Amino acid sequence: MSLNGLRIWYCENMFLFLWSIIPTNWNESTKSYHLNLRNRSVSVDLTMKKTLKNIWNLYYDGFKNMTWGRPLWLLIFLKVIILFLVLRMFFFKPVLSGKNEAEKIEYVGEQLSRTINNNQ
Amino acid sequence: MDEMTLVDWSRLQFALTAGYHWIFVPLTLGLAVIMATMETLYVVKRDEFWKQTAKFWMKLFGINFAVGIATGIILEFEFGTNWSNYSWFVGDIFGAPLAIEGIFAFFMEATFFAIMYFGWNKVSKKTHLVATWLTGIGAAISAVWILVANSWMQHPVGMEFNPDTVRHEMVDFWALVLNPVAISKFFHSVFSGWMTGAIFVIGLSSWYLLKKRETRFALASIRVAAVVGVVGTVALMASGDSSGIHVAKYQPMKLAAAEGLQDGGPQAPFSIVPGVEVPGMLSMLATHDFNGYVPGINDMLNGYTDAEGNVHLSAEQKMERGKTALKAFNDYRALRDTDPVKAEQARKVLDENVEYFGYGYIDSPQELVPNVDLVYWAFRVMVGLGSFLLLLMVVVLWAEWKKKLEGMTWLQWVALLSIPLVYLAGQAGWIVAEVGRQPWVIEGLLPVKAAVSSVSVAAVQTTFWLFVAIFTLFLVIEIRIMINAIKQGPKISNK
């Protein structure tokens, strides 16, 4: 599977998961919900619906009744803030960001050539 | 000189971040197997004691995981900022495994972690057990992709260089995944995790024995951990042997540096410490033949012919061909829009010499030699501590088998004090792997000095010290949370 294929697979499955929680087109004859996803018909039957509810409850109750895990989640939250809102935004700007494909090729080509010229 | 300083700071920062990340990874890999084994005993024996034992180690696993999580992301920031030439040059070869790792890790961790921690009273025992094992397997699968990416840098396969895009393009995904270096590196890393987990559990359990509390829990934990540890360490040695063969084949300079071998040949000796050698042993380890040819540093710099009659170019010859490749690369870029015929000729020259591309950046043959002292001693620290820890686990297992461990206070102290040693061994292993391959970021294709971005030294220094402060803070927080959890203990009856 290509990288792009993986991205589509990820998005589709996340979409399916989120969409499945919300009641959509109910089909009385098949006793299932139907939705169209990238031209593919996907049905979500009652058993699936119940499973998804159980999954929701697992996470909801788990977080609600957490004891020693609370400070760890706080730590993770703090770390993510520091990583993405401080380090990533203020200190780690990718050198090639803001350039289109052709500009990136030109820039790196120049950089590698410049190193050669410095060496020679 | 400024450029060198920039390279040094960028490398130092990367080493700091990777070294910090590796504090958490091996414990995750090893503790996962130990706690899953304990939970298996709970399901098989239907004994609540094993459930409580597994739950305690899961708690420490969670603390370690929470502090370690996302520390690897900083490495990706550094790729984009400090190593932008490298990041572009490697293309999707590096990006694809890391993207797969990110997606898989997210799905596996979000799913099975939740069941493992939140699902005790919500799913059946067997489902929970499967989730616990899959948590460990998921962590190992994450390691696969990281190590595939790393191994490609050590032994680049399955790609072609495209001068139009100035990057390597993947032509054979399976060659990348089944890279022999990646396979041995994966098993070596995962089994080093088993050893780390085992020593961690044995050491902490020994602390409970020294404190004369939670005795049944401590002895049971030691039994499981020692078995996992001994099995893991024997497998670690086997994968290390396989890794040694690959290093000898694909990165002979790293092997020569790790042995301090200036002049090689057949029946090459293995150095235990300077001045103490075992004749022929290095040839045996590197080629599985006492008469096998192992080149030394001088052989590689001056050129040599191996036992099969293959002629290996000298450093000067490789540098010459590298300069030819780089000139052809420049000519191709300059001429492709104005003179297609000459551009095509330049492309042909580039293709003929592309395997020496990186040597074009090398100014003197001595640049091709890594820091011999550091690699030599790091290798001895790794192997020496690994051997000591294996012996420790065997002795602990024997003492527990003979029901003598509870009375052997000295052994409990040794086990407790050995916890930092297993981390030291792991870090030393990565020093051998990463310092040993210098000056290359991609073996033979790109040296670190060409891979580094044109950013200011001050910017890299600032983030380096920022990391030192942040990492120290998080490590102190982790250790404090973990010590509190350990002091609290599993609170299991000794009956």
Side-chain angles (χ1 to χ4, degrees):
Chain A
M1 190 184 281
S2 68
L3 187 59
N4 201 38
L6 272 170
R7 282 194 192 114
I8 292 170
W9 177 80
Y10 173 80
C11 293
E12 278 183 356
N13 282 285
M14 281 308 287
F15 184 68
L16 174 65
F17 175 75
L18 294 171
W19 192 255
S20 304
I21 298 169
I22 307 159
T24 52
N25 302 325
W26 171 249
N27 187 322
E28 188 59 40
S29 60
T30 59
K31 300 282 182 202
S32 63
Y33 293 96
H34 282 277
L35 57 124
N36 247 330
L37 194 65
R38 295 175 64 86
N39 300 325
R40 281 191 282 146
S41 180
V42 178
S43 66
V44 182
D45 61 21
L46 280 175
T47 319
M48 171 75 116
K49 193 84 184 150
K50 196 179 164 196
T51 306
L52 291 168
K53 197 176 175 193
N54 285 342
I55 292 171
W56 170 260
N57 286 339
L58 175 79
Y59 282 92
Y60 182 78
D61 294 343
F63 281 113
K64 201 173 75 175
N65 300 323
M66 206 157 47
T67 51
W68 58 268
R70 277 180 206 279
L72 295 180
W73 275 103
L74 182 69
L75 195 65
I76 291 171
F77 181 71
L78 264 173
K79 188 160 50 174
V80 169
I81 297 273
I82 292 171
L83 285 183
F84 288 96
L85 295 184
V86 180
L87 292 179
R88 181 69 178 78
M89 283 184 74
F90 297 105
F91 294 98
F92 282 96
K93 190 174 182 294
V95 173
L96 299 177
S97 70
K99 293 182 171 62
N100 63 31
E101 188 86 350
E103 288 168 340
K104 285 177 184 174
I105 292 169
E106 195 53 35
Y107 178 83
V108 177
E110 284 292 316
Q111 287 290 310
L112 293 180
S113 304
R114 201 170 64 176
T115 318
I116 306 164
N117 296 334
N118 287 347
N119 277 15
Q120 286 169 348
Chain B
M1 192 62 196
D2 279 349
E3 202 172 46
M4 279 309 293
T5 309
L6 173 67
V7 170
D8 290 343
W9 277 103
S10 300
R11 280 186 59 204
L12 198 58
Q13 188 183 82
F14 200 88
L16 173 77
T17 319
Y20 180 73
H21 186 54
W22 191 250
I23 291 173
F24 307 102
V25 177
L27 188 58
T28 299
L29 293 170
L31 212 45
V33 176
I34 292 169
M35 67 197 194
T37 306
M38 289 168 172
E39 193 180 333
T40 306
L41 289 168
Y42 159 59
V43 172
V44 172
K45 293 188 169 184
R46 298 178 187 180
D47 183 349
E48 192 70 12
F49 165 80
W50 283 110
K51 180 182 175 183
Q52 296 308 321
T53 303
K55 277 181 99 170
F56 175 75
W57 293 113
M58 273 177 199
K59 186 176 179 178
L60 299 194
F61 176 89
I63 295 167
N64 177 67
F65 194 87
V67 183
I69 198 168
T71 50
I73 288 174
I74 304 168
L75 295 170
E76 299 204 27
F77 293 172
E78 289 171 27
F79 282 135
T81 305
N82 298 349
W83 304 99
S84 59
N85 294 345
Y86 159 81
S87 298
W88 182 262
F89 191 75
V90 295
D92 278 347
I93 290 167
F94 207 74
L98 293 186
I100 295 170
E101 189 272 334
I103 292 166
F104 265 79
F106 174 78
F107 268 110
M108 303 254 330
E109 283 155 17
T111 309
F112 301 120
F113 258 61
I115 297 174
M116 192 172 84
Y117 285 112
F118 301 155
W120 282 108
N121 301 317
K122 288 189 182 284
V123 296
S124 69
K125 279 181 189 176
K126 284 182 182 169
T127 305
H128 193 279
L129 178 63
V130 169
T132 305
W133 274 109
L134 285 174
T135 299
I137 292 168
I141 289 174
S142 289
V144 168
W145 298 109
I146 300 287
L147 294 169
V148 160
N150 179 278
S151 300
W152 183 83
M153 295 156 78
Q154 317 267 350
H155 176 49
V157 286
M159 85 299 172
E160 272 176 9
F161 180 59
N162 182 347
D164 289 314
T165 56
V166 197
R167 69 194 321 188
H168 283 86
E169 291 169 359
M170 198 188 305
V171 292
D172 187 349
F173 177 74
W174 292 109
L176 180 77
V177 175
L178 301 175
N179 184 346
V181 176
I183 293 170
S184 56
K185 196 176 272 284
F186 167 73
F187 286 110
H188 203 55
S189 303
V190 168
F191 289 126
S192 79
W194 286 32
M195 186 169 82
T196 306
I199 293 295
F200 180 82
V201 171
I202 292 170
L204 290 185
S205 301
S206 295
W207 181 78
Y208 286 114
L209 292 180
L210 287 165
K211 290 279 172 189
K212 303 204 183 302
R213 51 177 282 207
E214 327 277 4
T215 312
R216 185 188 170 200
F217 157 84
L219 292 173
S221 296
I222 285 172
R223 276 197 299 276
V224 173
V227 170
V228 169
V230 169
V231 170
T233 309
V234 170
L236 180 68
M237 289 163 70
S239 60
D241 174 67
S242 159
S243 187
I245 298 277
H246 294 138
V247 170
K249 196 169 175 183
Y250 304 121
Q251 297 176 296
M253 185 60 89
K254 185 194 281 186
L255 182 71
E259 283 304 310
L261 187 71
Q262 296 296 333
D263 298 297
Q267 299 178 352
F270 178 83
S271 166
I272 294 174
V273 287
V276 183
E277 293 179 341
V278 182
M281 185 53 81
L282 181 60
S283 287
M284 181 62 193
L285 293 172
T287 64
H288 284 181
D289 177 359
F290 279 110
N291 293 313
Y293 187 94
V294 181
I297 292 169
N298 292 332
D299 301 314
M300 279 175 275
L301 295 183
N302 299 326
Y304 66 99
T305 304
D306 63 25
E308 283 82 41
N310 300 315
V311 177
H312 296 262
L313 301 183
S314 69
E316 295 279 4
Q317 287 168 316
K318 288 179 181 173
M319 286 160 60
E320 198 54 47
R321 289 191 66 177
K323 289 194 183 353
T324 305
L326 287 178
K327 184 176 180 308
F329 168 64
N330 265 356
D331 290 346
Y332 176 78
R333 291 184 70 243
L335 295 168
R336 65 186 162 181
D337 296 329
T338 55
D339 191 339
V341 176
K342 283 189 177 171
E344 199 49 44
Q345 286 170 350
R347 173 77 190 254
K348 197 165 171 255
V349 174
L350 173 61
D351 289 344
E352 284 167 1
N353 295 284
V354 76
E355 78 176 285
Y356 299 101
F357 191 90
Y359 286 90
Y361 295 103
I362 304 297
D363 292 320
S364 91
Q366 281 308 316
E367 266 185 56
L368 295 168
V369 184
N371 185 330
V372 175
D373 287 342
L374 182 57
V375 179
Y376 178 90
W377 284 109
F379 184 72
R380 266 126 207 94
V381 168
M382 175 186 75
V383 175
L385 288 178
S387 307
F388 164 73
L389 294 170
L390 175 62
L391 179 68
L392 174 68
M393 286 185 286
V394 170
V395 172
V396 163
L397 198 56
W398 171 83
E400 170 51 14
W401 184 269
K402 295 283 177 189
K403 307 283 179 209
K404 290 178 177 173
L405 181 60
E406 213 178 329
M408 296 169 80
T409 314
W410 67 270
L411 188 55
Q412 294 159 15
W413 272 111
V414 172
L416 177 62
L417 296 173
S418 292
I419 294 175
L421 299 185
V422 77
Y423 286 94
L424 187 61
Q427 299 285 342
W430 278 107
I431 289 172
V432 174
E434 300 302 307
V435 178
R437 70 172 154 125
Q438 294 304 315
W440 305 112
V441 64
I442 308 169
E443 186 76 23
L445 297 178
L446 194 70
V448 282
K449 67 179 179 184
V452 77
S453 305
S454 292
V455 292
S456 76
V457 181
V460 185
Q461 285 173 327
T462 306
T463 45
F464 175 84
W465 291 114
L466 202 60
F467 282 161
V468 170
I470 292 171
F471 290 164
T472 308
L473 178 70
F474 277 116
L475 200 58
V476 169
I477 292 172
E478 190 214 8
I479 291 171
R480 284 197 66 165
I481 295 176
M482 209 170 254
I483 286 175
N484 282 342
I486 293 162
K487 277 183 180 168
Q488 217 173 33
K491 292 176 182 166
I492 303 174
S493 162
N494 275 338
K495 289 175 186 174

